Amino acid sequence: MLVRTVGVEEEFLLVNPETGRPVALAGAVLRSADEPDGETEELTGELQNEQIETGTRPVRTLTELGKELRTARAAAREAAGAVGVAVAALATSPLAVEPSVSPTPRYRALAERFGMTVDEQLTCGCHVHVAVDGDEEGVAVLDRIRPWLAPLLAVTGNSPFWQGRDSGYASFRGEVWQRWPSAGGYQTFGSAAGYRAVVEEMLGTGTILDEAMLYLDARLSAQHPTVEIRVADVCLDPDDAVLLAALVRGLVETAARDWRAGVPADDVRTEVLRLASWRAARSGVEEDLLLPGVWRPAPAVEVLDALVGYVREALEDAGDLDDVRVLLGAVLGRGTGSRTQREVAGHEGDLAAVVAEAARRT
């Protein structure tokens, strides 16, 4: 069996290494990366001047992916360091910030149309791409992974602070992201034609600017032959991003097998999925999540064990099962980035120290 390729995009904050505050220097960092001695062609800008994005190549093994993630992070650190700033794997800024929109026509159009949603949208996610064999398989996958997207958010929560205070959430990025009118959960599509019809209907409302604004928790990639799962926070630890990617690939493979075997997609309502996502954002792996299938509260460890059980065969076939068990055990033992951030804040009594620690780990 040929294992599906997987690639990861990570968004990072650009911060002042002394104060911890986000700085609007994405343009300078990108110019630094474009120098002849620059180490990456995968460093790009994002909505706000205070953030950048990296991307890995598509790879087949988790070992390769871990190396790719660390190489991309190192290249981002070097490019940022060349202009006197640091990169931090934080899904929101712990310190208060007034972001500045990147100076491109599209982002300016977004700001004009969506106002404060854009003004305050300084969030950093982690997007996983997994190869699919055409749009029909891709849409079949999208339909069947819906119940398991919330646990992926729970296991990556890394945004407890917002504008200088504790939000009470493990992933407040998840809450802020929901402000977009085209973001979040989705109903089943049924077929590639059904997916395209939904996209055309959304575009036809004149509300979103283009197909790139299809900010659903998962979608077909417009640039690559992949499905793109967009639900996760950027992870403080690159090993957590590897875990996320392994679980996502396992979900994609399992869903594709179910589709070929004629197993129908769970028709759980989007309203229930929104509740599952809220619980995941609120408490991460610290408290109960909703257990797919029965949709009742259960301990996070039970829900995540159920996820691994659901994709076990795909993980075994890819050679990922042992790694997933180790990596997931580490997250459940130490907590996600949100717990680490709170522990640093509690010990140091200073949110700038949270940013400094994140920059050190990135």
Side-chain angles (χ1 to χ4, degrees), residues 291-340:
L291 181 62
V294 298
W295 302 109
R296 294 293 182 268
V301 64
E302 181 179 332
V303 174
L304 292 166
D305 281 348
L307 169 56
V308 173
Y310 174 62
V311 301
R312 178 184 176 122
E313 183 176 311
L315 293 177
E316 287 179 330
D317 290 346
D320 295 345
L321 182 58
D322 289 343
D323 286 336
V324 164
R325 284 174 169 163
V326 170
L327 293 171
L328 182 57
V331 171
L332 292 172
R334 60 169 157 75
T336 65
S338 61
R339 185 197 290 180
T340 300

mmCIF file of all heavy atoms in Angstrom, residues 291-340:
data_model
loop_
_atom_site.group_PDB
_atom_site.id
_atom_site.type_symbol
_atom_site.label_atom_id
_atom_site.label_comp_id
_atom_site.label_asym_id
_atom_site.label_seq_id
_atom_site.Cartn_x
_atom_site.Cartn_y
_atom_site.Cartn_z
ATOM 1 N N LEU A 291 -18.257 12.751 22.770
ATOM 2 C CA LEU A 291 -17.840 11.499 22.139
ATOM 3 C C LEU A 291 -18.618 11.297 20.844
ATOM 4 O O LEU A 291 -19.846 11.171 20.865
ATOM 5 C CB LEU A 291 -18.088 10.324 23.089
ATOM 6 C CG LEU A 291 -17.683 8.933 22.571
ATOM 7 C CD1 LEU A 291 -16.173 8.874 22.313
ATOM 8 C CD2 LEU A 291 -18.110 7.860 23.562
ATOM 9 N N PRO A 292 -17.945 11.284 19.685
ATOM 10 C CA PRO A 292 -18.648 11.070 18.418
ATOM 11 C C PRO A 292 -19.459 9.781 18.436
ATOM 12 O O PRO A 292 -19.064 8.779 19.027
ATOM 13 C CB PRO A 292 -17.505 11.006 17.399
ATOM 14 C CG PRO A 292 -16.435 11.863 17.996
ATOM 15 C CD PRO A 292 -16.510 11.585 19.474
ATOM 16 N N GLY A 293 -20.583 9.854 17.754
ATOM 17 C CA GLY A 293 -21.476 8.708 17.685
ATOM 18 C C GLY A 293 -22.606 8.810 18.675
ATOM 19 O O GLY A 293 -23.786 8.768 18.301
ATOM 20 N N VAL A 294 -22.260 8.996 19.958
ATOM 21 C CA VAL A 294 -23.301 9.149 20.990
ATOM 22 C C VAL A 294 -23.545 10.613 21.324
ATOM 23 O O VAL A 294 -24.602 10.974 21.838
ATOM 24 C CB VAL A 294 -22.944 8.360 22.261
ATOM 25 C CG1 VAL A 294 -22.852 6.885 21.955
ATOM 26 C CG2 VAL A 294 -21.637 8.852 22.880
ATOM 27 N N TRP A 295 -22.514 11.457 21.103
ATOM 28 C CA TRP A 295 -22.619 12.900 21.301
ATOM 29 C C TRP A 295 -23.029 13.262 22.730
ATOM 30 O O TRP A 295 -23.904 14.076 22.960
ATOM 31 C CB TRP A 295 -23.535 13.538 20.260
ATOM 32 C CG TRP A 295 -23.027 13.260 18.884
ATOM 33 C CD1 TRP A 295 -23.573 12.434 17.942
ATOM 34 C CD2 TRP A 295 -21.809 13.754 18.312
ATOM 35 N NE1 TRP A 295 -22.788 12.376 16.820
ATOM 36 C CE2 TRP A 295 -21.695 13.182 17.013
ATOM 37 C CE3 TRP A 295 -20.805 14.611 18.754
ATOM 38 C CZ2 TRP A 295 -20.612 13.453 16.175
ATOM 39 C CZ3 TRP A 295 -19.738 14.880 17.917
ATOM 40 C CH2 TRP A 295 -19.652 14.306 16.641
ATOM 41 N N ARG A 296 -22.340 12.612 23.672
ATOM 42 C CA ARG A 296 -22.497 12.898 25.092
ATOM 43 C C ARG A 296 -21.114 13.155 25.681
ATOM 44 O O ARG A 296 -20.107 12.671 25.166
ATOM 45 C CB ARG A 296 -23.184 11.738 25.821
ATOM 46 C CG ARG A 296 -24.631 11.503 25.411
ATOM 47 C CD ARG A 296 -25.517 12.671 25.844
ATOM 48 N NE ARG A 296 -26.924 12.454 25.506
ATOM 49 C CZ ARG A 296 -27.507 12.853 24.391
ATOM 50 N NH1 ARG A 296 -26.776 13.498 23.464
ATOM 51 N NH2 ARG A 296 -28.773 12.632 24.170
ATOM 52 N N PRO A 297 -21.041 13.910 26.786
ATOM 53 C CA PRO A 297 -19.730 14.205 27.373
ATOM 54 C C PRO A 297 -19.009 12.945 27.836
ATOM 55 O O PRO A 297 -19.617 12.023 28.375
ATOM 56 C CB PRO A 297 -20.068 15.112 28.566
ATOM 57 C CG PRO A 297 -21.406 15.681 28.248
ATOM 58 C CD PRO A 297 -22.129 14.617 27.488
ATOM 59 N N ALA A 298 -17.698 12.933 27.604
ATOM 60 C CA ALA A 298 -16.825 11.850 28.047
ATOM 61 C C ALA A 298 -15.444 12.450 28.310
ATOM 62 O O ALA A 298 -15.074 13.461 27.708
ATOM 63 C CB ALA A 298 -16.750 10.742 27.001
ATOM 64 N N PRO A 299 -14.660 11.841 29.195
ATOM 65 C CA PRO A 299 -13.313 12.362 29.443
ATOM 66 C C PRO A 299 -12.506 12.475 28.153
ATOM 67 O O PRO A 299 -12.629 11.621 27.258
ATOM 68 C CB PRO A 299 -12.708 11.329 30.401
ATOM 69 C CG PRO A 299 -13.887 10.708 31.077
ATOM 70 C CD PRO A 299 -14.971 10.676 30.037
ATOM 71 N N ALA A 300 -11.694 13.512 28.065
ATOM 72 C CA ALA A 300 -10.923 13.739 26.845
ATOM 73 C C ALA A 300 -10.086 12.522 26.471
ATOM 74 O O ALA A 300 -9.987 12.163 25.291
ATOM 75 C CB ALA A 300 -10.022 14.965 27.019
ATOM 76 N N VAL A 301 -9.495 11.861 27.470
ATOM 77 C CA VAL A 301 -8.673 10.692 27.166
ATOM 78 C C VAL A 301 -9.508 9.599 26.514
ATOM 79 O O VAL A 301 -9.033 8.898 25.606
ATOM 80 C CB VAL A 301 -7.957 10.173 28.430
ATOM 81 C CG1 VAL A 301 -8.948 9.667 29.474
ATOM 82 C CG2 VAL A 301 -6.948 9.092 28.072
ATOM 83 N N GLU A 302 -10.764 9.445 26.925
ATOM 84 C CA GLU A 302 -11.638 8.434 26.323
ATOM 85 C C GLU A 302 -11.967 8.786 24.881
ATOM 86 O O GLU A 302 -11.973 7.915 23.997
ATOM 87 C CB GLU A 302 -12.920 8.319 27.144
ATOM 88 C CG GLU A 302 -13.893 7.278 26.629
ATOM 89 C CD GLU A 302 -15.146 7.169 27.467
ATOM 90 O OE1 GLU A 302 -15.075 7.456 28.678
ATOM 91 O OE2 GLU A 302 -16.216 6.802 26.904
ATOM 92 N N VAL A 303 -12.229 10.061 24.623
ATOM 93 C CA VAL A 303 -12.549 10.486 23.261
ATOM 94 C C VAL A 303 -11.343 10.317 22.352
ATOM 95 O O VAL A 303 -11.460 9.837 21.211
ATOM 96 C CB VAL A 303 -13.048 11.944 23.258
ATOM 97 C CG1 VAL A 303 -13.256 12.443 21.826
ATOM 98 C CG2 VAL A 303 -14.346 12.066 24.053
ATOM 99 N N LEU A 304 -10.171 10.674 22.840
ATOM 100 C CA LEU A 304 -8.970 10.553 22.017
ATOM 101 C C LEU A 304 -8.584 9.090 21.813
ATOM 102 O O LEU A 304 -8.095 8.712 20.742
ATOM 103 C CB LEU A 304 -7.831 11.345 22.642
ATOM 104 C CG LEU A 304 -8.064 12.865 22.589
ATOM 105 C CD1 LEU A 304 -7.091 13.598 23.505
ATOM 106 C CD2 LEU A 304 -7.954 13.390 21.168
ATOM 107 N N ASP A 305 -8.821 8.256 22.820
ATOM 108 C CA ASP A 305 -8.616 6.815 22.626
ATOM 109 C C ASP A 305 -9.571 6.279 21.553
ATOM 110 O O ASP A 305 -9.195 5.416 20.741
ATOM 111 C CB ASP A 305 -8.847 6.066 23.942
ATOM 112 C CG ASP A 305 -7.667 6.160 24.894
ATOM 113 O OD1 ASP A 305 -6.585 6.600 24.461
ATOM 114 O OD2 ASP A 305 -7.824 5.799 26.074
ATOM 115 N N ALA A 306 -10.805 6.795 21.560
ATOM 116 C CA ALA A 306 -11.770 6.372 20.541
ATOM 117 C C ALA A 306 -11.320 6.807 19.151
ATOM 118 O O ALA A 306 -11.488 6.067 18.171
ATOM 119 C CB ALA A 306 -13.149 6.948 20.860
ATOM 120 N N LEU A 307 -10.746 7.995 19.050
ATOM 121 C CA LEU A 307 -10.222 8.461 17.766
ATOM 122 C C LEU A 307 -9.110 7.543 17.270
ATOM 123 O O LEU A 307 -9.108 7.120 16.103
ATOM 124 C CB LEU A 307 -9.712 9.898 17.913
ATOM 125 C CG LEU A 307 -8.890 10.467 16.760
ATOM 126 C CD1 LEU A 307 -9.647 10.404 15.445
ATOM 127 C CD2 LEU A 307 -8.466 11.905 17.067
ATOM 128 N N VAL A 308 -8.157 7.235 18.144
ATOM 129 C CA VAL A 308 -7.066 6.346 17.743
ATOM 130 C C VAL A 308 -7.617 4.976 17.364
ATOM 131 O O VAL A 308 -7.173 4.361 16.382
ATOM 132 C CB VAL A 308 -6.021 6.232 18.864
ATOM 133 C CG1 VAL A 308 -4.965 5.174 18.517
ATOM 134 C CG2 VAL A 308 -5.346 7.581 19.094
ATOM 135 N N GLY A 309 -8.606 4.499 18.120
ATOM 136 C CA GLY A 309 -9.212 3.221 17.777
ATOM 137 C C GLY A 309 -9.888 3.239 16.424
ATOM 138 O O GLY A 309 -9.805 2.269 15.652
ATOM 139 N N TYR A 310 -10.542 4.355 16.095
ATOM 140 C CA TYR A 310 -11.232 4.477 14.819
ATOM 141 C C TYR A 310 -10.263 4.415 13.647
ATOM 142 O O TYR A 310 -10.562 3.833 12.596
ATOM 143 C CB TYR A 310 -12.020 5.783 14.800
ATOM 144 C CG TYR A 310 -12.675 6.109 13.490
ATOM 145 C CD1 TYR A 310 -13.647 5.283 12.944
ATOM 146 C CD2 TYR A 310 -12.319 7.264 12.794
ATOM 147 C CE1 TYR A 310 -14.251 5.587 11.728
ATOM 148 C CE2 TYR A 310 -12.922 7.575 11.583
ATOM 149 C CZ TYR A 310 -13.883 6.735 11.059
ATOM 150 O OH TYR A 310 -14.468 7.036 9.854
ATOM 151 N N VAL A 311 -9.082 5.001 13.809
ATOM 152 C CA VAL A 311 -8.120 5.074 12.697
ATOM 153 C C VAL A 311 -6.978 4.078 12.863
ATOM 154 O O VAL A 311 -5.984 4.147 12.131
ATOM 155 C CB VAL A 311 -7.560 6.510 12.540
ATOM 156 C CG1 VAL A 311 -8.690 7.490 12.291
ATOM 157 C CG2 VAL A 311 -6.747 6.936 13.752
ATOM 158 N N ARG A 312 -7.103 3.160 13.798
ATOM 159 C CA ARG A 312 -5.995 2.261 14.138
ATOM 160 C C ARG A 312 -5.442 1.516 12.923
ATOM 161 O O ARG A 312 -4.226 1.446 12.710
ATOM 162 C CB ARG A 312 -6.449 1.252 15.190
ATOM 163 C CG ARG A 312 -5.356 0.242 15.550
ATOM 164 C CD ARG A 312 -5.852 -0.812 16.520
ATOM 165 N NE ARG A 312 -4.807 -1.795 16.759
ATOM 166 C CZ ARG A 312 -4.294 -2.091 17.936
ATOM 167 N NH1 ARG A 312 -4.738 -1.456 19.018
ATOM 168 N NH2 ARG A 312 -3.352 -3.004 18.062
ATOM 169 N N GLU A 313 -6.305 0.937 12.115
ATOM 170 C CA GLU A 313 -5.827 0.157 10.976
ATOM 171 C C GLU A 313 -5.016 1.016 10.021
ATOM 172 O O GLU A 313 -3.959 0.595 9.522
ATOM 173 C CB GLU A 313 -7.013 -0.471 10.246
ATOM 174 C CG GLU A 313 -6.608 -1.369 9.090
ATOM 175 C CD GLU A 313 -7.790 -2.055 8.433
ATOM 176 O OE1 GLU A 313 -8.611 -2.638 9.161
ATOM 177 O OE2 GLU A 313 -7.906 -1.970 7.190
ATOM 178 N N ALA A 314 -5.485 2.233 9.761
ATOM 179 C CA ALA A 314 -4.752 3.137 8.872
ATOM 180 C C ALA A 314 -3.417 3.531 9.486
ATOM 181 O O ALA A 314 -2.400 3.634 8.773
ATOM 182 C CB ALA A 314 -5.590 4.379 8.579
ATOM 183 N N LEU A 315 -3.395 3.767 10.804
ATOM 184 C CA LEU A 315 -2.136 4.104 11.470
ATOM 185 C C LEU A 315 -1.157 2.940 11.388
ATOM 186 O O LEU A 315 0.043 3.141 11.140
ATOM 187 C CB LEU A 315 -2.391 4.471 12.931
ATOM 188 C CG LEU A 315 -3.183 5.752 13.208
ATOM 189 C CD1 LEU A 315 -3.404 5.916 14.704
ATOM 190 C CD2 LEU A 315 -2.472 6.979 12.640
ATOM 191 N N GLU A 316 -1.641 1.735 11.602
ATOM 192 C CA GLU A 316 -0.773 0.562 11.515
ATOM 193 C C GLU A 316 -0.197 0.415 10.112
ATOM 194 O O GLU A 316 1.016 0.163 9.942
ATOM 195 C CB GLU A 316 -1.558 -0.698 11.894
ATOM 196 C CG GLU A 316 -1.855 -0.823 13.381
ATOM 197 C CD GLU A 316 -2.642 -2.070 13.709
ATOM 198 O OE1 GLU A 316 -3.432 -2.516 12.846
ATOM 199 O OE2 GLU A 316 -2.476 -2.599 14.814
ATOM 200 N N ASP A 317 -1.030 0.575 9.111
ATOM 201 C CA ASP A 317 -0.579 0.394 7.732
ATOM 202 C C ASP A 317 0.453 1.448 7.330
ATOM 203 O O ASP A 317 1.325 1.185 6.492
ATOM 204 C CB ASP A 317 -1.767 0.445 6.776
ATOM 205 C CG ASP A 317 -2.664 -0.782 6.901
ATOM 206 O OD1 ASP A 317 -2.228 -1.773 7.524
ATOM 207 O OD2 ASP A 317 -3.803 -0.742 6.397
ATOM 208 N N ALA A 318 0.348 2.637 7.920
ATOM 209 C CA ALA A 318 1.314 3.700 7.622
ATOM 210 C C ALA A 318 2.560 3.618 8.493
ATOM 211 O O ALA A 318 3.515 4.366 8.283
ATOM 212 C CB ALA A 318 0.658 5.062 7.810
ATOM 213 N N GLY A 319 2.555 2.711 9.485
ATOM 214 C CA GLY A 319 3.671 2.615 10.408
ATOM 215 C C GLY A 319 3.669 3.696 11.464
ATOM 216 O O GLY A 319 4.711 3.988 12.074
ATOM 217 N N ASP A 320 2.501 4.291 11.730
ATOM 218 C CA ASP A 320 2.403 5.453 12.615
ATOM 219 C C ASP A 320 1.867 5.136 14.007
ATOM 220 O O ASP A 320 1.902 5.999 14.890
ATOM 221 C CB ASP A 320 1.487 6.520 12.001
ATOM 222 C CG ASP A 320 2.042 7.116 10.720
ATOM 223 O OD1 ASP A 320 3.243 6.929 10.452
ATOM 224 O OD2 ASP A 320 1.263 7.773 9.997
ATOM 225 N N LEU A 321 1.343 3.943 14.229
ATOM 226 C CA LEU A 321 0.590 3.692 15.459
ATOM 227 C C LEU A 321 1.443 3.883 16.708
ATOM 228 O O LEU A 321 1.011 4.555 17.658
ATOM 229 C CB LEU A 321 -0.011 2.287 15.443
ATOM 230 C CG LEU A 321 -0.865 1.921 16.665
ATOM 231 C CD1 LEU A 321 -2.025 2.890 16.842
ATOM 232 C CD2 LEU A 321 -1.378 0.483 16.546
ATOM 233 N N ASP A 322 2.634 3.311 16.738
ATOM 234 C CA ASP A 322 3.466 3.440 17.938
ATOM 235 C C ASP A 322 3.831 4.897 18.199
ATOM 236 O O ASP A 322 3.815 5.365 19.350
ATOM 237 C CB ASP A 322 4.737 2.600 17.792
ATOM 238 C CG ASP A 322 4.463 1.104 17.863
ATOM 239 O OD1 ASP A 322 3.375 0.725 18.347
ATOM 240 O OD2 ASP A 322 5.323 0.320 17.431
ATOM 241 N N ASP A 323 4.189 5.627 17.138
ATOM 242 C CA ASP A 323 4.522 7.042 17.304
ATOM 243 C C ASP A 323 3.331 7.831 17.838
ATOM 244 O O ASP A 323 3.485 8.696 18.707
ATOM 245 C CB ASP A 323 4.984 7.645 15.980
ATOM 246 C CG ASP A 323 6.382 7.190 15.587
ATOM 247 O OD1 ASP A 323 7.158 6.806 16.483
ATOM 248 O OD2 ASP A 323 6.693 7.211 14.385
ATOM 249 N N VAL A 324 2.149 7.549 17.309
ATOM 250 C CA VAL A 324 0.961 8.267 17.764
ATOM 251 C C VAL A 324 0.700 7.991 19.237
ATOM 252 O O VAL A 324 0.379 8.904 20.011
ATOM 253 C CB VAL A 324 -0.260 7.891 16.905
ATOM 254 C CG1 VAL A 324 -1.567 8.303 17.579
ATOM 255 C CG2 VAL A 324 -0.152 8.547 15.536
ATOM 256 N N ARG A 325 0.842 6.760 19.651
ATOM 257 C CA ARG A 325 0.623 6.443 21.065
ATOM 258 C C ARG A 325 1.595 7.202 21.960
ATOM 259 O O ARG A 325 1.208 7.744 23.000
ATOM 260 C CB ARG A 325 0.771 4.936 21.280
ATOM 261 C CG ARG A 325 -0.429 4.122 20.799
ATOM 262 C CD ARG A 325 -0.160 2.646 20.896
ATOM 263 N NE ARG A 325 -1.371 1.847 20.693
ATOM 264 C CZ ARG A 325 -1.381 0.566 20.413
ATOM 265 N NH1 ARG A 325 -0.223 -0.086 20.297
ATOM 266 N NH2 ARG A 325 -2.519 -0.086 20.257
ATOM 267 N N VAL A 326 2.858 7.262 21.553
ATOM 268 C CA VAL A 326 3.862 7.974 22.351
ATOM 269 C C VAL A 326 3.572 9.473 22.368
ATOM 270 O O VAL A 326 3.580 10.120 23.435
ATOM 271 C CB VAL A 326 5.279 7.696 21.808
ATOM 272 C CG1 VAL A 326 6.293 8.619 22.472
ATOM 273 C CG2 VAL A 326 5.660 6.243 22.033
ATOM 274 N N LEU A 327 3.310 10.045 21.202
ATOM 275 C CA LEU A 327 3.094 11.486 21.110
ATOM 276 C C LEU A 327 1.809 11.904 21.814
ATOM 277 O O LEU A 327 1.767 12.939 22.488
ATOM 278 C CB LEU A 327 3.057 11.912 19.641
ATOM 279 C CG LEU A 327 4.381 11.762 18.877
ATOM 280 C CD1 LEU A 327 4.159 12.006 17.386
ATOM 281 C CD2 LEU A 327 5.437 12.709 19.424
ATOM 282 N N LEU A 328 0.752 11.119 21.664
ATOM 283 C CA LEU A 328 -0.500 11.446 22.339
ATOM 284 C C LEU A 328 -0.343 11.295 23.847
ATOM 285 O O LEU A 328 -0.856 12.128 24.621
ATOM 286 C CB LEU A 328 -1.619 10.550 21.823
ATOM 287 C CG LEU A 328 -3.008 10.806 22.420
ATOM 288 C CD1 LEU A 328 -3.450 12.245 22.214
ATOM 289 C CD2 LEU A 328 -4.032 9.841 21.825
ATOM 290 N N GLY A 329 0.363 10.266 24.288
ATOM 291 C CA GLY A 329 0.613 10.109 25.717
ATOM 292 C C GLY A 329 1.361 11.301 26.290
ATOM 293 O O GLY A 329 1.085 11.734 27.420
ATOM 294 N N ALA A 330 2.292 11.859 25.503
ATOM 295 C CA ALA A 330 3.034 13.033 25.965
ATOM 296 C C ALA A 330 2.115 14.231 26.132
ATOM 297 O O ALA A 330 2.192 14.965 27.127
ATOM 298 C CB ALA A 330 4.156 13.354 24.979
ATOM 299 N N VAL A 331 1.226 14.441 25.170
ATOM 300 C CA VAL A 331 0.293 15.570 25.272
ATOM 301 C C VAL A 331 -0.630 15.405 26.473
ATOM 302 O O VAL A 331 -0.856 16.348 27.243
ATOM 303 C CB VAL A 331 -0.530 15.712 23.976
ATOM 304 C CG1 VAL A 331 -1.647 16.737 24.161
ATOM 305 C CG2 VAL A 331 0.362 16.126 22.816
ATOM 306 N N LEU A 332 -1.173 14.203 26.646
ATOM 307 C CA LEU A 332 -2.085 13.977 27.763
ATOM 308 C C LEU A 332 -1.364 14.098 29.101
ATOM 309 O O LEU A 332 -1.965 14.479 30.115
ATOM 310 C CB LEU A 332 -2.738 12.600 27.631
ATOM 311 C CG LEU A 332 -3.708 12.453 26.453
ATOM 312 C CD1 LEU A 332 -4.157 11.002 26.301
ATOM 313 C CD2 LEU A 332 -4.919 13.377 26.628
ATOM 314 N N GLY A 333 -0.060 13.793 29.121
ATOM 315 C CA GLY A 333 0.694 13.899 30.354
ATOM 316 C C GLY A 333 1.060 15.318 30.733
ATOM 317 O O GLY A 333 0.883 15.729 31.890
ATOM 318 N N ARG A 334 1.537 16.100 29.769
ATOM 319 C CA ARG A 334 2.003 17.458 30.069
ATOM 320 C C ARG A 334 1.005 18.538 29.719
ATOM 321 O O ARG A 334 1.146 19.687 30.099
ATOM 322 C CB ARG A 334 3.312 17.743 29.333
ATOM 323 C CG ARG A 334 3.200 17.647 27.819
ATOM 324 C CD ARG A 334 4.434 18.182 27.120
ATOM 325 N NE ARG A 334 4.581 17.646 25.790
ATOM 326 C CZ ARG A 334 3.849 18.025 24.743
ATOM 327 N NH1 ARG A 334 2.923 18.945 24.881
ATOM 328 N NH2 ARG A 334 4.070 17.483 23.558
ATOM 329 N N GLY A 335 -0.032 18.149 28.942
ATOM 330 C CA GLY A 335 -0.989 19.141 28.473
ATOM 331 C C GLY A 335 -0.542 19.761 27.169
ATOM 332 O O GLY A 335 0.588 19.575 26.710
ATOM 333 N N THR A 336 -1.441 20.508 26.553
ATOM 334 C CA THR A 336 -1.130 21.193 25.303
ATOM 335 C C THR A 336 -0.418 22.513 25.592
ATOM 336 O O THR A 336 -0.126 22.843 26.742
ATOM 337 C CB THR A 336 -2.411 21.466 24.506
ATOM 338 O OG1 THR A 336 -3.226 22.388 25.243
ATOM 339 C CG2 THR A 336 -3.193 20.174 24.274
ATOM 340 N N GLY A 337 -0.170 23.266 24.545
ATOM 341 C CA GLY A 337 0.493 24.557 24.723
ATOM 342 C C GLY A 337 -0.254 25.492 25.643
ATOM 343 O O GLY A 337 0.363 26.344 26.310
ATOM 344 N N SER A 338 -1.570 25.376 25.706
ATOM 345 C CA SER A 338 -2.333 26.269 26.584
ATOM 346 C C SER A 338 -1.946 26.062 28.043
ATOM 347 O O SER A 338 -1.816 27.030 28.805
ATOM 348 C CB SER A 338 -3.841 26.053 26.389
ATOM 349 O OG SER A 338 -4.215 24.727 26.719
ATOM 350 N N ARG A 339 -1.755 24.804 28.460
ATOM 351 C CA ARG A 339 -1.345 24.579 29.849
ATOM 352 C C ARG A 339 0.058 25.118 30.088
ATOM 353 O O ARG A 339 0.326 25.744 31.128
ATOM 354 C CB ARG A 339 -1.388 23.090 30.205
ATOM 355 C CG ARG A 339 -1.081 22.878 31.688
ATOM 356 C CD ARG A 339 -0.701 21.433 32.006
ATOM 357 N NE ARG A 339 -1.829 20.530 31.900
ATOM 358 C CZ ARG A 339 -1.731 19.222 32.144
ATOM 359 N NH1 ARG A 339 -0.568 18.681 32.496
ATOM 360 N NH2 ARG A 339 -2.802 18.442 32.016
ATOM 361 N N THR A 340 0.953 24.889 29.123
ATOM 362 C CA THR A 340 2.313 25.405 29.271
ATOM 363 C C THR A 340 2.308 26.920 29.412
ATOM 364 O O THR A 340 2.998 27.480 30.281
ATOM 365 C CB THR A 340 3.167 24.994 28.066
ATOM 366 O OG1 THR A 340 3.221 23.573 27.982
ATOM 367 C CG2 THR A 340 4.579 25.553 28.176
#
